[in-house]
Amino acid sequence: MNIRLQILPAIRPLITVVSVFKTACTVVTLLILLFHLEQTAAEARQTEPAKERPIVGLVLSGGGARGASHIGVLKVLRELRVPIDIITGTSMGAIVGGMYAYGYSVEEIEALLRDTDWDEVFHDEPPRKNRSFRRKRDDYNFLVKQEAGFKDGKLIIPKGLLQGQQLMLRLKSITLSAPTNFDALPIRFRAVAADIESGDAVVLGDGSLATAMLASMSIPGVFAPVEWNGRLLVDGGFANNAPVQLARDLGADIVIVVDLSGELQGRHALSSPFSILNQILGFTIQRNTAEQLKTLGPDDVLIQPDLGGYSSTDFWRSSEMIDSGVLAANLNSQRLQKISVSEGVYADYLTSIRQRSKTSPDIDNIVIDNQSPLSTDVLKSHITIEPGDKLDVSALERDIQQLYGLNIFERVDYDVLQDEQQTELVVEAKEKAWGPHYLRFGLNMESDFEGSGTFNIATSHTMTPINRLGGEWRTELQVGRDQRLSTELYQPIDNRLRYYLRSSLDYSETHIGEFESGKQVADLEVSFSSFSLAAGRQIGNWGQLEIGAYTGSGDSSPYIGDLSTPTQDFNAGAWAVSFGYDQLDSINFPRSGSLASISWFASRDELGADDERDTLRAHGLWAGTWNKHTLIFWSGLAGVINTEAPAEKAFSIGGLFNLSGYHRSELTGRYAGLVRLIYLKELGESRSVLKVPVYLGASLEAGNVWNDRDEIRFDSLIPAGSISLAVDSPLGPIYLAWGLAEGGRSATYLFLGRTFTFL
């Protein structure tokens, strides 16, 4: 017992060491066990397949300009890190969806929408500044732009108000390198159109991405149907405005639907034929949309932006509609977050869908697909790009616009075909299906509300091309107060269509009033027949120099007044030289650009003139616009020189913008001068692409006529002015105006059609 007691103190340190050692071994053993278990779990995680996220489909419905709200939805999807694997779209939904699937970012799509000139896109003709000088001259008459064809004894009307020329060029420029298989896009994509013959929905999954977009939004009656593999396609909203089932058929597990169909209008809003027609079309769209929305499941997300105050043509309000899309998507943020992914996964996703090529390809070969009687050499000469050049899309578009501006083609289109060996530019020019005989009609009317007025109707027939160099034969007929019949042969003589010859035969009957103390006392009817021959050179698309001659004869006889006045016969003949410059954006209501012309006529007896004289004319116009305000400076000068022969009635002034307050042609003289400053303000808030602009205007004018050069002084100018309400209607300008001139002279004017002159 004592021995044990003596030993214990001696071995106690040893016992403590052993105890600590055992505890340490236990801890180490536990750590080794935990490490082994972690390694086993990690190996198990590596061998187990990762859980896959659901395939998400985005369905974008049609809605015209209201489709801008799709951009707002895409912004929220990006913020919430919701990846999109499949996009199906109709109409504007196909355009926004197609751009996103092609690889554009949300900001790039927003910028493209904002920077697009929708007024220009929704016109077939290129901007007036880009048209040939001859086509610009067509604007000087009062014939309406819309034309009909005459073929095989039948009157043929184009299948749409627009052929989609400018819209197609815009879509081509933003989808230049898109693959022809839409499954090969960064995001799988399908556009939906409708077969106009059967009414069936047509799914577009390969071919030209731009053409698919155009077909999907070709509103019947507005845009001509798009031919696609033998079918005529129009806006897909009439067959399947929200292609939900299509997204599922492509493999979507969850669909996000952006529905822009909106609600039908109430009785109070159905106040016009257009609103009633729009309501009828809305029935079809609402019905097929509702059928698709019924298929949505509990995990699907329906986003319906509030767009009640926006029209399908309000492209200028796109930023507001984008905000509506953001708001509507945020209201569904909790449901969208369920399919959100991590920042790393989403970053990889964004990288994968931003594969769009941003470089212009080098063109190895150019092919002209000429589907017209025009010489292929003419088409080639208008394409400035050469094999080996890098593709300049803006330059190519200008070339194509000039070709289209010849008024021969239904569509001038292009494709860039790339393979491993070469890049080929194909330019396709398709002649109008309703040509080569074209008919246009028009009318003009003028009244002073005092029992005096004019009314004329007119028509023209143009046959073009009559040969491989694009010759034109045009005949015009006008009946009414002023009669006119003319026929002209216009023949370019080079492939660039710069040099030309023209000849014409004209007959006219016009009325000239005679005034005393502001009252018309007589009216003379002047008849004149003439033949002219000229040669000229078009300078770019901005100018023209022409040299020619004409000869003719006529007579003047009393129409109202002293009918016993004998008829006076006269003969005319002159050499003529003229130069014109025209870069004005519009003749009827110019907003920008300038125009100028100067001409010299040398009447000579060898051409049959009764007397020899020289006549000079010059005029110019400049226009500038800021916001809705336009200022126009407009002036003209004319005179008869180098002769002592009587020429008291060579020029006349009077009427709206020609010393407003005076009657038409009330002032006559050997010399004439006129300066105008015109102000126009566009009324209303709507800037819809289908707008009919209305303007409030005012003018300040100063001018006079003189029979002696010594009388031409600044203090002899007559001040005048006007206020007006004007409408840029499809039939031409409509003016209701009141004019006031020095001495209390005043007049009221009502115009339909362009009736005032440039002097």
Side-chain angles (χ1 to χ4, degrees), residues 588-591 621-634 656-657 660 675-683 694-701 720-726 735-737:
N588 293 336
F589 293 93
R591 294 173 58 84
L621 185 151
W622 172 89
T625 297
W626 67 103
N627 297 325
K628 294 187 176 184
H629 307 275
T630 298
L631 198 63
I632 302 170
F633 179 76
W634 188 7
L656 182 61
F657 303 137
S660 303
V675 177
R676 308 95 151 178
L677 187 64
I678 301 174
Y679 167 77
L680 295 173
K681 179 183 179 181
E682 186 176 356
L683 302 179
V694 179
Y695 300 93
L696 180 65
S699 70
L700 295 175
E701 308 155 26
S722 70
I723 58 173
S724 60
L725 185 67
Y735 277 91
L736 178 61

Side-chain angles (χ1 to χ4, degrees), residues 692-728:
V692 177
V694 179
Y695 300 93
L696 180 65
S699 70
L700 295 175
E701 308 155 26
N704 206 343
V705 296
W706 305 273
N707 288 320
D708 193 312
R709 190 178 303 177
D710 295 335
E711 299 174 353
I712 304 175
R713 302 184 309 275
F714 279 106
D715 59 7
S716 68
L717 295 177
I718 300 172
S722 70
I723 58 173
S724 60
L725 185 67
V727 179
D728 191 4

Side-chain angles (χ1 to χ4, degrees), residues 639-655:
V640 177
I641 59 176
N642 297 340
T643 180
E644 298 298 327
E648 291 81 3
K649 295 184 179 181
F651 304 103
S652 63
I653 290 180

Side-chain angles (χ1 to χ4, degrees), residues 259-315:
D259 173 30
L260 309 180
S261 57
E263 297 182 358
L264 297 173
Q265 299 292 323
R267 178 179 296 186
H268 66 282
L270 302 176
S271 56
S272 68
F274 180 80
S275 63
I276 292 174
L277 176 60
N278 192 53
Q279 182 88 333
I280 293 172
L281 298 176
F283 291 149
T284 302
I285 295 174
Q286 283 275 16
R287 189 176 297 113
N288 69 57
T289 299
E291 291 175 356
Q292 292 289 314
L293 297 184
K294 287 178 181 178
T295 67
L296 296 180
D299 295 329
D300 299 325
V301 182
L302 174 61
I303 301 173
Q304 294 177 304
D306 182 5
L307 300 170
Y310 303 101
S311 163
S312 60
T313 59
D314 286 341
F315 288 95

Side-chain angles (χ1 to χ4, degrees), residues 366-370 374-386 399 403 427 495-496:
I366 299 175
V367 175
I368 305 295
D369 182 5
N370 182 14
L374 205 63
S375 169
T376 300
D377 290 336
V378 170
L379 274 65
K380 286 181 178 178
S381 68
H382 281 74
I383 304 299
T384 56
I385 188 172
E386 298 285 347
D399 295 342
L403 276 174
V427 177
N495 287 331
R496 285 287 295 164

Side-chain angles (χ1 to χ4, degrees), residues 443-446 729 731-735 750-755:
L443 60 88
N444 73 1
M445 179 186 71
E446 178 181 344
S729 79
L731 295 178
I734 300 175
Y735 277 91
L750 175 64
F751 285 99
L752 169 60
R754 205 184 70 80
T755 59

Side-chain angles (χ1 to χ4, degrees), residues 101-171:
Y102 179 44
Y104 282 99
S105 68
V106 177
E107 288 75 18
E108 288 174 322
I109 298 174
E110 183 177 2
L112 285 169
L113 185 66
R114 180 185 63 247
D115 297 340
T116 296
D117 186 341
W118 292 98
D119 283 334
E120 180 181 314
V121 163
F122 278 83
H123 287 83
D124 278 332
E125 288 185 322
R128 190 174 184 275
K129 294 179 181 180
N130 294 338
R131 299 178 210 162
S132 69
F133 198 87
R134 178 162 176 81
R135 293 283 76 87
K136 291 175 183 178
R137 302 297 294 181
D138 293 343
D139 296 338
Y140 285 78
N141 57 39
F142 58 83
L143 299 174
V144 298
K145 293 296 183 183
Q146 198 63 29
E147 65 184 13
F150 187 76
K151 194 172 186 178
D152 298 328
K154 298 179 180 179
L155 188 67
I156 303 174
I157 299 175
K159 296 175 182 176
L161 293 174
L162 302 173
Q163 302 305 309
Q165 173 68 22
Q166 298 302 319
L167 180 56
M168 172 58 83
L169 289 180
R170 181 61 172 162
L171 295 175

Side-chain angles (χ1 to χ4, degrees), residues 576-594:
V577 179
S578 64
F579 173 78
Y581 170 87
D582 190 345
Q583 282 293 81
L584 211 59
D585 68 330
S586 170
I587 287 294
N588 293 336
F589 293 93
R591 294 173 58 84
S592 66
S594 57

